[in-house]
mmCIF file of all heavy atoms in Angstrom:
data_model
loop_
_atom_site.group_PDB
_atom_site.id
_atom_site.type_symbol
_atom_site.label_atom_id
_atom_site.label_comp_id
_atom_site.label_asym_id
_atom_site.label_seq_id
_atom_site.Cartn_x
_atom_site.Cartn_y
_atom_site.Cartn_z
ATOM 1 N N TYR M 176 -18.606 -10.100 -41.501
ATOM 2 C CA TYR M 176 -17.255 -10.313 -40.950
ATOM 3 C C TYR M 176 -16.870 -9.168 -40.090
ATOM 4 O O TYR M 176 -16.470 -8.039 -40.585
ATOM 5 C CB TYR M 176 -16.382 -10.473 -42.165
ATOM 6 C CG TYR M 176 -14.889 -10.838 -41.766
ATOM 7 C CD1 TYR M 176 -14.719 -12.001 -40.856
ATOM 8 C CD2 TYR M 176 -13.823 -10.106 -42.101
ATOM 9 C CE1 TYR M 176 -13.471 -12.260 -40.468
ATOM 10 C CE2 TYR M 176 -12.526 -10.469 -41.803
ATOM 11 C CZ TYR M 176 -12.346 -11.555 -40.919
ATOM 12 O OH TYR M 176 -11.046 -11.912 -40.533
ATOM 13 N N ALA M 177 -16.897 -9.435 -38.777
ATOM 14 C CA ALA M 177 -16.642 -8.263 -37.888
ATOM 15 C C ALA M 177 -15.215 -7.627 -37.886
ATOM 16 O O ALA M 177 -15.165 -6.387 -37.820
ATOM 17 C CB ALA M 177 -16.947 -8.737 -36.390
ATOM 18 N N PRO M 178 -14.219 -8.417 -38.147
ATOM 19 C CA PRO M 178 -12.859 -7.717 -38.226
ATOM 20 C C PRO M 178 -12.693 -7.002 -39.521
ATOM 21 O O PRO M 178 -11.533 -6.511 -39.685
ATOM 22 C CB PRO M 178 -11.900 -8.938 -38.058
ATOM 23 C CG PRO M 178 -12.689 -10.063 -37.552
ATOM 24 C CD PRO M 178 -14.065 -9.865 -38.108
ATOM 25 N N ALA M 179 -13.665 -6.949 -40.397
ATOM 26 C CA ALA M 179 -13.439 -6.342 -41.696
ATOM 27 C C ALA M 179 -12.867 -4.952 -41.641
ATOM 28 O O ALA M 179 -11.910 -4.619 -42.294
ATOM 29 C CB ALA M 179 -14.726 -6.406 -42.514
ATOM 30 N N LEU M 180 -13.507 -4.069 -40.862
ATOM 31 C CA LEU M 180 -13.104 -2.705 -40.770
ATOM 32 C C LEU M 180 -11.640 -2.562 -40.285
ATOM 33 O O LEU M 180 -10.902 -1.800 -40.873
ATOM 34 C CB LEU M 180 -14.116 -1.938 -39.865
ATOM 35 C CG LEU M 180 -15.513 -1.681 -40.551
ATOM 36 C CD1 LEU M 180 -16.366 -0.983 -39.524
ATOM 37 C CD2 LEU M 180 -15.290 -0.782 -41.762
ATOM 38 N N ASP M 181 -11.325 -3.456 -39.268
ATOM 39 C CA ASP M 181 -9.958 -3.373 -38.807
ATOM 40 C C ASP M 181 -8.945 -3.716 -39.887
ATOM 41 O O ASP M 181 -7.946 -3.171 -40.011
ATOM 42 C CB ASP M 181 -9.779 -4.376 -37.615
ATOM 43 C CG ASP M 181 -8.478 -4.505 -37.111
ATOM 44 O OD1 ASP M 181 -7.952 -3.572 -36.464
ATOM 45 O OD2 ASP M 181 -7.802 -5.506 -37.406
ATOM 46 N N SER M 182 -9.370 -4.737 -40.745
ATOM 47 C CA SER M 182 -8.485 -5.070 -41.822
ATOM 48 C C SER M 182 -8.335 -3.933 -42.824
ATOM 49 O O SER M 182 -7.189 -3.783 -43.267
ATOM 50 C CB SER M 182 -9.048 -6.382 -42.558
ATOM 51 O OG SER M 182 -10.133 -6.026 -43.382
ATOM 52 N N TRP M 183 -9.318 -3.169 -43.031
ATOM 53 C CA TRP M 183 -9.108 -2.006 -43.957
ATOM 54 C C TRP M 183 -8.337 -0.932 -43.366
ATOM 55 O O TRP M 183 -7.795 -0.074 -44.058
ATOM 56 C CB TRP M 183 -10.421 -1.576 -44.549
ATOM 57 C CG TRP M 183 -11.115 -2.541 -45.406
ATOM 58 C CD1 TRP M 183 -12.133 -3.391 -45.101
ATOM 59 C CD2 TRP M 183 -10.655 -2.901 -46.718
ATOM 60 N NE1 TRP M 183 -12.453 -4.183 -46.178
ATOM 61 C CE2 TRP M 183 -11.517 -3.970 -47.147
ATOM 62 C CE3 TRP M 183 -9.671 -2.427 -47.624
ATOM 63 C CZ2 TRP M 183 -11.445 -4.487 -48.428
ATOM 64 C CZ3 TRP M 183 -9.557 -3.007 -48.894
ATOM 65 C CH2 TRP M 183 -10.449 -3.942 -49.218
ATOM 66 N N ALA M 184 -8.184 -0.994 -41.970
ATOM 67 C CA ALA M 184 -7.306 -0.027 -41.334
ATOM 68 C C ALA M 184 -5.928 -0.452 -41.251
ATOM 69 O O ALA M 184 -5.010 0.147 -40.745
ATOM 70 C CB ALA M 184 -7.806 0.235 -39.884
ATOM 71 N N GLY M 185 -5.687 -1.605 -41.999
ATOM 72 C CA GLY M 185 -4.268 -2.141 -41.978
ATOM 73 C C GLY M 185 -3.638 -2.263 -43.368
ATOM 74 O O GLY M 185 -2.440 -2.407 -43.522
ATOM 75 N N LEU M 186 -4.544 -2.138 -44.379
ATOM 76 C CA LEU M 186 -4.005 -2.282 -45.736
ATOM 77 C C LEU M 186 -3.575 -0.989 -46.373
ATOM 78 O O LEU M 186 -4.332 -0.049 -46.529
ATOM 79 C CB LEU M 186 -5.169 -2.867 -46.647
ATOM 80 C CG LEU M 186 -4.727 -3.320 -48.100
ATOM 81 C CD1 LEU M 186 -3.737 -4.378 -48.086
ATOM 82 C CD2 LEU M 186 -6.030 -3.634 -48.943
ATOM 83 N N GLN M 187 -2.331 -0.876 -46.708
ATOM 84 C CA GLN M 187 -1.819 0.310 -47.344
ATOM 85 C C GLN M 187 -2.082 0.348 -48.804
ATOM 86 O O GLN M 187 -1.872 -0.595 -49.498
ATOM 87 C CB GLN M 187 -0.211 0.411 -47.156
ATOM 88 C CG GLN M 187 0.137 0.550 -45.636
ATOM 89 C CD GLN M 187 1.592 0.403 -45.440
ATOM 90 O OE1 GLN M 187 2.373 0.160 -46.357
ATOM 91 N NE2 GLN M 187 1.985 0.763 -44.176
ATOM 92 N N VAL M 188 -2.738 1.498 -49.245
ATOM 93 C CA VAL M 188 -3.224 1.604 -50.620
ATOM 94 C C VAL M 188 -2.102 1.970 -51.537
ATOM 95 O O VAL M 188 -1.239 2.855 -51.171
ATOM 96 C CB VAL M 188 -4.297 2.658 -50.759
ATOM 97 C CG1 VAL M 188 -4.757 2.834 -52.190
ATOM 98 C CG2 VAL M 188 -5.490 2.221 -49.860
ATOM 99 N N LEU M 189 -1.884 1.181 -52.600
ATOM 100 C CA LEU M 189 -0.740 1.334 -53.459
ATOM 101 C C LEU M 189 -1.184 2.030 -54.787
ATOM 102 O O LEU M 189 -2.303 1.933 -55.169
ATOM 103 C CB LEU M 189 -0.076 -0.024 -53.819
ATOM 104 C CG LEU M 189 0.421 -0.795 -52.628
ATOM 105 C CD1 LEU M 189 0.832 -2.161 -53.020
ATOM 106 C CD2 LEU M 189 1.551 -0.082 -51.912
ATOM 107 N N PRO M 190 -0.335 2.690 -55.485
ATOM 108 C CA PRO M 190 -0.630 3.397 -56.792
ATOM 109 C C PRO M 190 -0.782 2.434 -57.956
ATOM 110 O O PRO M 190 0.245 1.762 -58.289
ATOM 111 C CB PRO M 190 0.448 4.427 -56.998
ATOM 112 C CG PRO M 190 1.654 3.784 -56.260
ATOM 113 C CD PRO M 190 1.102 2.982 -55.156
ATOM 114 N N LYS M 191 -2.000 2.356 -58.498
ATOM 115 C CA LYS M 191 -2.229 1.384 -59.625
ATOM 116 C C LYS M 191 -1.271 1.888 -60.822
ATOM 117 O O LYS M 191 -0.748 1.001 -61.492
ATOM 118 C CB LYS M 191 -3.642 1.422 -59.913
ATOM 119 C CG LYS M 191 -4.053 0.634 -61.122
ATOM 120 C CD LYS M 191 -5.618 0.871 -61.462
ATOM 121 C CE LYS M 191 -5.927 0.110 -62.738
ATOM 122 N NZ LYS M 191 -7.217 0.455 -63.211
ATOM 123 N N HIS M 192 -1.282 3.120 -61.049
ATOM 124 C CA HIS M 192 -0.633 3.570 -62.300
ATOM 125 C C HIS M 192 0.884 3.186 -62.398
ATOM 126 O O HIS M 192 1.478 3.125 -63.418
ATOM 127 C CB HIS M 192 -0.884 5.061 -62.595
ATOM 128 C CG HIS M 192 -0.156 5.934 -61.627
ATOM 129 N ND1 HIS M 192 -0.678 6.194 -60.314
ATOM 130 C CD2 HIS M 192 0.925 6.681 -61.659
ATOM 131 C CE1 HIS M 192 0.160 7.010 -59.777
ATOM 132 N NE2 HIS M 192 1.175 7.374 -60.486
#
Side-chain angles (χ1 to χ4, degrees):
Chain M
Y176 183 54
L180 286 173
D181 176 72
S182 73
W183 291 104
L186 184 68
Q187 294 175 351
V188 178
L189 301 172
K191 177 185 175 189
H192 68 282

